Amino acid sequence: MKIAGNWKDYRIIATGDGMKLERWGDVTLLRPDPQVIWNGKSDLYAYSGINAVYHRSDKGGGGWEIKKPFPAEWKISYGDLSFLIKPMGFKHTGLFPEQAVNWDIMRSVISAEKSKNPARQIKVLNLFAYTGGATVACAKAGAEVCHVDAAKGMVERAGENARLSGINSGIRYIVDDCSKFVRREIRRGNRYDAIIMDPPSYGRGPGGEMWKIEDALFDFVGLCTQVLSENPLFMLINSYTTGLQPTVLNNILTLCLSDRGGSTEAYEVCLPTEEGIPLPCGASGMHTF
């Protein structure tokens, strides 16, 4: 288990009855969380400082109920990284704060390599890259990043986050289906020193391509090994699908990469709560070379 405990602008105040009460900077949100299957110590809806609550719909999806006024979007920071937050559809806010634990690890690996080989250009491929948390972290450490996501709006938000963090170059933004992009990179002979992927449980590409993580992940990781450089640094897989345990990610990375050397570590990713318990937020697996 790894806990993203270094946040100052984000915290989980309380959990219970399928919900989590969070503070994002000066804004307090109450959102559903499928991992919270325990009873709350108090009625979270009665908390006096709530700005908005996300309500699920019986027909799927849901919507935000505004309780107190707050900005349409606002900035939060994690060290020298800054991100725009905005309540969006499907209870999202534009950032997964638990991933900060992986940002720290990746920055450490990249920085260590840059210290040993200052002239080396480290190329990172970030797939299913969303709003660019990992992209910004790796770029801030000195890597060149290719950011790929099928949703144009999320790629645009990634650019905003990069600029907000003081990064104005070194990132290539691509709106495309990730599998198709990787296949083209193989044909072009382009190679990367690190690969990050945040695949959704289910997804549909811009051309109607279907993605189901249980069916597609193993073959996709195998495909991605073909764009690794001769002297790679790492490959990271994140999964929010509750059925994929850390050992599953460990096994996939080991089977796909053991012949390249290095080692794999897989772990639960969690956030601390003011109740003194960790909230599980998915699993990650990292293979370092």
Side-chain angles (χ1 to χ4, degrees), residues 215-281:
D215 298 336
L217 183 58
F218 180 74
D219 288 342
F220 184 70
V221 173
L223 181 71
C224 289
T225 63
Q226 298 181 56
V227 294
L228 281 171
S229 68
E230 292 184 1
N231 184 26
L233 297 180
F234 64 84
M235 180 181 282
L236 172 70
I237 305 174
N238 292 308
S239 172
Y240 305 99
T241 303
T242 55
L244 295 188
Q245 302 299 317
T247 302
V248 174
L249 301 183
N250 184 90
N251 291 346
I252 290 173
L253 287 167
T254 299
L255 290 168
C256 290
L257 294 169
S258 59
D259 61 341
R260 298 288 300 267
S263 61
T264 299
E265 181 185 13
Y267 41 87
E268 264 192 301
V269 179
C270 301
L271 284 164
T273 74
E274 291 188 359
E275 302 156 313
I277 59 173
L279 177 64
C281 302

Side-chain angles (χ1 to χ4, degrees), residues 202-217:
Y202 298 93
R204 187 182 295 272
E209 304 87 356
M210 289 299 297
W211 168 278
K212 185 178 179 182
I213 194 169
E214 293 91 341
D215 298 336
L217 183 58

Side-chain angles (χ1 to χ4, degrees), residues 16 26 71 136 144 147 150 171 179 188 200 237 270-271:
D26 296 326
V136 172
E144 296 180 0
H147 176 108
I171 302 174
S179 295
R188 293 166 178 153
I237 305 174
C270 301
L271 284 164

Side-chain angles (χ1 to χ4, degrees), residues 98-109:
E98 68 276 3
Q99 286 301 313
V101 72
N102 286 324
W103 303 340
D104 291 343
I105 295 170
M106 292 185 289
R107 290 187 71 170
S108 177
V109 172

Side-chain angles (χ1 to χ4, degrees), residues 191-203:
R191 298 295 179 262
Y192 296 88
D193 304 304
I195 298 174
I196 306 159
M197 61 181 75
D198 259 300
S201 299
Y202 298 93

Side-chain angles (χ1 to χ4, degrees), residues 84 130-131 147 151-163 173 175:
L84 285 172
Y130 195 49
T131 59
H147 176 108
K152 182 180 179 181
M154 297 300 101
V155 174
E156 291 173 346
R157 177 55 59 116
E160 292 180 274
N161 286 332
R163 291 186 290 274
Y173 300 97
V175 180

Side-chain angles (χ1 to χ4, degrees), residues 12-288:
I12 298 177
I13 301 166
T15 61
D17 305 302
M19 304 292 286
K20 60 184 174 186
L21 183 65
E22 319 161 283
R23 182 160 294 144
W24 298 79
D26 296 326
V27 178
T28 301
L29 304 177
L30 181 59
R31 296 192 292 162
D33 191 299
Q35 298 290 342
V36 182
I37 63 171
W38 50 87
N39 296 334
K41 292 183 177 180
S42 61
D43 181 4
L44 299 186
Y45 290 89
Y47 186 81
S48 61
I50 296 176
N51 293 96
V53 180
Y54 188 88
H55 298 285
R56 289 194 182 278
S57 169
D58 294 336
K59 299 178 181 179
W64 290 94
E65 176 191 3
I66 307 303
K67 294 284 193 179
K68 292 184 177 182
F70 60 96
E73 60 183 23
W74 63 99
K75 183 183 84 169
I76 68 168
S77 296
Y78 181 77
D80 58 352
L81 310 180
S82 294
F83 306 98
L84 285 172
I85 303 301
K86 176 183 179 180
M88 300 187 291
F90 300 101
K91 72 174 183 169
H92 290 177
T93 62
L95 193 69
F96 293 102
E98 68 276 3
Q99 286 301 313
V101 72
N102 286 324
W103 303 340
D104 291 343
I105 295 170
M106 292 185 289
R107 290 187 71 170
S108 177
V109 172
I110 293 168
S111 296
E113 179 62 23
K114 293 289 282 187
S115 295
K116 290 188 296 183
N117 301 293
R120 181 179 179 181
Q121 290 185 323
I122 297 172
K123 296 177 64 178
V124 176
L125 176 60
N126 189 9
L127 301 166
F128 310 98
Y130 195 49
T131 59
T135 293
V136 172
C138 291
K140 202 72 172 177
E144 296 180 0
V145 184
C146 181
H147 176 108
V148 186
D149 198 281
K152 182 180 179 181
M154 297 300 101
V155 174
E156 291 173 346
R157 177 55 59 116
E160 292 180 274
N161 286 332
R163 291 186 290 274
L164 201 63
S165 297
I167 301 166
N168 296 300
S169 63
I171 302 174
R172 179 186 176 203
Y173 300 97
I174 305 291
V175 180
D176 202 353
D177 173 77
C178 289
S179 295
K180 288 185 175 180
F181 178 78
V182 171
R183 292 182 190 279
R184 285 200 302 275
E185 292 294 86
I186 293 171
R187 293 195 296 270
R188 293 166 178 153
N190 290 333
R191 298 295 179 262
Y192 296 88
D193 304 304
I195 298 174
I196 306 159
M197 61 181 75
D198 259 300
S201 299
Y202 298 93
R204 187 182 295 272
E209 304 87 356
M210 289 299 297
W211 168 278
K212 185 178 179 182
I213 194 169
E214 293 91 341
D215 298 336
L217 183 58
F218 180 74
D219 288 342
F220 184 70
V221 173
L223 181 71
C224 289
T225 63
Q226 298 181 56
V227 294
L228 281 171
S229 68
E230 292 184 1
N231 184 26
L233 297 180
F234 64 84
M235 180 181 282
L236 172 70
I237 305 174
N238 292 308
S239 172
Y240 305 99
T241 303
T242 55
L244 295 188
Q245 302 299 317
T247 302
V248 174
L249 301 183
N250 184 90
N251 291 346
I252 290 173
L253 287 167
T254 299
L255 290 168
C256 290
L257 294 169
S258 59
D259 61 341
R260 298 288 300 267
S263 61
T264 299
E265 181 185 13
Y267 41 87
E268 264 192 301
V269 179
C270 301
L271 284 164
T273 74
E274 291 188 359
E275 302 156 313
I277 59 173
L279 177 64
C281 302
S284 294
M286 175 176 272
H287 190 94
T288 52

